[in-house]
C-alpha cells in the first residue's frame, strides 16, 4: 500500500529507471567487464542504503554493519555447501537469520548512544570474527571453499555469474525502495525524530527503543542477502574478508559523501565512491593510497560539505527536492 502511494511520485520511477539501466547495460554486447564493475556498484549501494536507515535517519553511527554482510555470506555458503540447499532458499535463510540476530543484538546495544554505541559495534565485529575463526563447521580461520559443481543448478559458472548479477541488481533495487518507503512512513518520521532529539521524541510518544531495534533489524536483511550472493559468486569466504572493518568505514564515508538521510545521495555517493575506488586500485601510482584518500575525502566532507552532495545540490537547485528524495 505504501509503495502504491509512492508510485505516484516521480522518484519511484527514477529508481525503476536506475534499476533498468543496471540490468540492461551489460547485456549490450555481452559486456562482462561492465557487469563485474556494476555488481560491485550495486553491492556498495545496497550496503550504504541499509546503513543509511540507522546512520541517516536515527543518527546512530554503526561501524558494525559489515557483520550483517559477513554473517549472511557465511550462512548462505554453509547451507549451499554442507546441506545442498538451493541458492534462493539459502539467501532467504541468511537474511531472516541475520535479521533476528540483529534484533536481539539491537535490543541490547541500542541502549547505548553516541560514541559508546559506535565502539560497541566495533566490538561486535571483533567478537563475531573471533567466533567464526574458531567455529569448525564454517571452516575456522581457513574459511570455506566452494567447488565449481556448486554452480551446476544455475547452468554452470558462466551462466551463474549472470544470474547472480541480476539477483544483486534486484537486491539493490529493493534497498532503494525500502529506504524510500521508510523515509516517507510514520515509522520513518519516528526515526527522523530520534535522529533530531531522542529524548524529545520519547516525550512526544515515539517508542524509541522499539523503533531503533526494528530499524537495526530491517537494515540487516538485505546486506545479509548481498553478502550471501557475493561470497557464493566468489566461491570462497574467510573471516578477514567477511568482517573487514574497512568496508564498514567505507559505507559510512559513502553515506556522508552523498548526503546521509537521503535516498538519492547515498546511492549516488556509493556509485561514485566505488568507481573512484576501482580506479585507485587499478592505478599503480595510487593503489597503496586508497584508504588514505578515503580518509582525506571524509575529512573534506565533514569540514566543508556536512550535508554531502545532495545538500549541495538542494542548496543550488531547490526544486530538485521535489523530485529527488
Amino acid at each position: 500500500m505504501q509503495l502504491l502511494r509512492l508510485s505516484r511520485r516521480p522518484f519511484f520511477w527514477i529508481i525503476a529507471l536506475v534499476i533498468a539501466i543496471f540490468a540492461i547495460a551489460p547485456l549490450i554486447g555481452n559486456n562482462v567487464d561492465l557487469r563485474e564493475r556494476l555488481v560491485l556498484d550495486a553491492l556498495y549501494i545496497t550496503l550504504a542504503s541499509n546503513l543509511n536507515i540507522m546512520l541517516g535517519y536515527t543518527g546512530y553511527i554503526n561501524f558494525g554493519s559489515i557483520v550483517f554482510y559477513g554473517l549472511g555470506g557465511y550462512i548462505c555458503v554453509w547451507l549451499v555447501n554442507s546441506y545442498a540447499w538451493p541458492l534462493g532458499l539459502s539467501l532467504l535463510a541468511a537474511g531472516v537469520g541475520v535479521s533476528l540476530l540483529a534484533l536481539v543484538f539491537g535490543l541490547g546495544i541500542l541502549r547505548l548512544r553516541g560514541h559508546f554505541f559506535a565502539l560497541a559495534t566495533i566490538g561486535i565485529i571483533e567478537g563475531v570474527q573471533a567466533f567464526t575463526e574458531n567455529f569448525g563447521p564454517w571452516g575456522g580461520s581457513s574459511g570455506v571453499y566452494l567447488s565449481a559443481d556448486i554452480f551446476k543448478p544455475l547452468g554452470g559458472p558462466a551462466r551463474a555469474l549472470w544470474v547472480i548479477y541480476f539477483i544483486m541488481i534486484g537486491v539493490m533495487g529493493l534497498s532503494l525502495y525500502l529506504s524510500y518507503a521508510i523515509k516517507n512512513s510514520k515509522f520513518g518520521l519516528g526515526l527522523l525524530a530520534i535522529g533530531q532529539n531522542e529524548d524529545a521524541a520519547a516525550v512526544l510518544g515515539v517508542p524509541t527503543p522499539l523503533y531503533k531495534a526494528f530499524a537495526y533489524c530491517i537494515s540487516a536483511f538485505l546486506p545479509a542477502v548481498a553478502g550471501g550472493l557475493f561470497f557464493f559468486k566468489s566461491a570462497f569466504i574467510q573471516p578477514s574478508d567477511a568482517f573487514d572493518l574497512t568496508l564498514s568505514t567505507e559505507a559510512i564515508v559513502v553515506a556522508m559523501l552523498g548526503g546521509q538521510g537521503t535516498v538519492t545521495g547515498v546511492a549516488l555517493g556509493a556509485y561514485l565512491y566505488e568507481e573512484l575506488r576501482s580506479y585507485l586500485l587499478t592505478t599503480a601510482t595510487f593503489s597503496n593510497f586508497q584508504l588514505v584518500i578515503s580518509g582525506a575525502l571524509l575529512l573534506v566532507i565533514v569540514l566543508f560539505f556536512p550535508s554531502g552532495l545532495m545538500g549541495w545540490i538542494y542548496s543550488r537547485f531547490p526544486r530538485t527536492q521535489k523530485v529527488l528524495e
Side-chain angles (χ1 to χ4, degrees):
M1 194 67 181
Q2 172 77 353
L3 282 179
L4 182 62
R5 180 176 63 83
L6 293 176
S7 67
R8 298 169 188 167
R9 300 186 185 182
F11 189 65
F12 181 95
W13 299 105
I14 291 174
I15 294 176
L17 179 61
V18 170
I19 296 169
I21 291 172
F22 267 74
I24 294 170
L27 291 175
I28 300 173
N30 194 32
N31 194 331
V32 174
D33 289 338
L34 180 60
R35 182 195 69 197
E36 293 305 302
R37 278 175 49 202
L38 290 180
V39 77
L40 290 175
D41 292 337
L43 174 63
Y44 267 73
I45 290 172
T46 298
L47 295 179
S49 294
N50 286 276
L51 172 68
N52 189 48
I53 295 173
M54 286 301 296
L55 175 63
Y57 298 162
T58 70
Y60 276 68
I61 300 175
N62 181 16
F63 283 101
S65 62
I66 195 63
V67 168
F68 308 147
Y69 166 80
L71 281 176
Y74 262 106
I75 292 172
C76 177
V77 168
W78 176 55
L79 292 174
V80 169
N81 186 57
S82 300
Y83 298 99
W85 280 33
L87 177 61
L89 189 58
S90 300
L91 291 172
L92 180 61
V96 172
V98 173
S99 294
L100 291 176
L101 284 173
L103 181 61
V104 173
F105 278 123
L107 289 170
I109 67 168
L110 285 165
R111 296 176 183 273
L112 303 173
R113 298 189 190 182
H115 57 278
F116 294 108
F117 173 78
L119 290 173
T121 60
I122 295 175
I124 288 176
I125 293 178
E126 296 299 323
V128 173
Q129 183 170 342
F131 168 78
T132 56
E133 286 175 347
N134 293 278
F135 189 55
W138 287 0
S141 58
S142 299
V144 179
Y145 292 82
L146 299 177
S147 69
D149 293 339
I150 213 77
F151 298 112
K152 283 184 178 179
L154 298 178
R159 187 171 182 273
L161 291 176
W162 282 104
V163 173
I164 292 167
Y165 174 73
F166 290 122
I167 297 175
M168 185 70 84
I169 299 307
V171 171
M172 178 196 75
L174 288 174
S175 296
L176 294 174
Y177 278 123
L178 176 64
S179 184
Y180 180 39
I182 288 176
K183 185 179 180 181
N184 289 278
S185 67
K186 180 182 177 181
F187 175 59
L189 289 175
L191 296 181
L192 291 170
I194 291 171
Q196 291 294 320
N197 189 318
E198 187 168 342
D199 293 325
V203 170
L204 292 172
V206 177
T208 55
L210 191 61
Y211 269 36
K212 290 187 297 181
F214 276 139
Y216 197 66
C217 173
I218 292 168
S219 68
F221 183 84
L222 290 172
V225 174
L229 278 171
F230 182 80
F231 288 109
F232 178 83
K233 173 181 178 290
S234 303
F236 168 66
I237 185 171
Q238 65 178 5
S240 59
D241 293 332
F243 306 106
D244 185 0
L245 180 60
T246 301
L247 191 53
S248 271
T249 306
E250 287 178 331
I252 293 172
V253 171
V254 161
M256 297 184 71
L257 171 64
Q260 59 192 62
T262 68
V263 182
T264 305
V266 171
L268 181 61
Y271 175 79
L272 293 176
Y273 182 85
E274 173 53 28
E275 289 296 313
L276 173 63
R277 174 178 170 276
S278 297
Y279 171 76
L280 294 175
L281 288 175
T282 54
T283 304
T285 308
F286 301 109
S287 59
N288 295 322
F289 297 95
Q290 176 212 343
L291 294 180
V292 175
I293 293 173
S294 297
L297 181 61
L298 179 59
L299 183 62
V300 169
I301 294 167
V302 170
L303 291 177
F304 302 106
F305 304 98
S307 299
L309 290 174
M310 290 312 297
W312 181 83
I313 292 173
Y314 288 157
S315 64
R316 290 296 184 92
F317 310 99
R319 292 184 180 180
T320 56
Q321 287 185 276
K322 297 179 181 180
V323 179
L324 301 176
E325 294 281 344

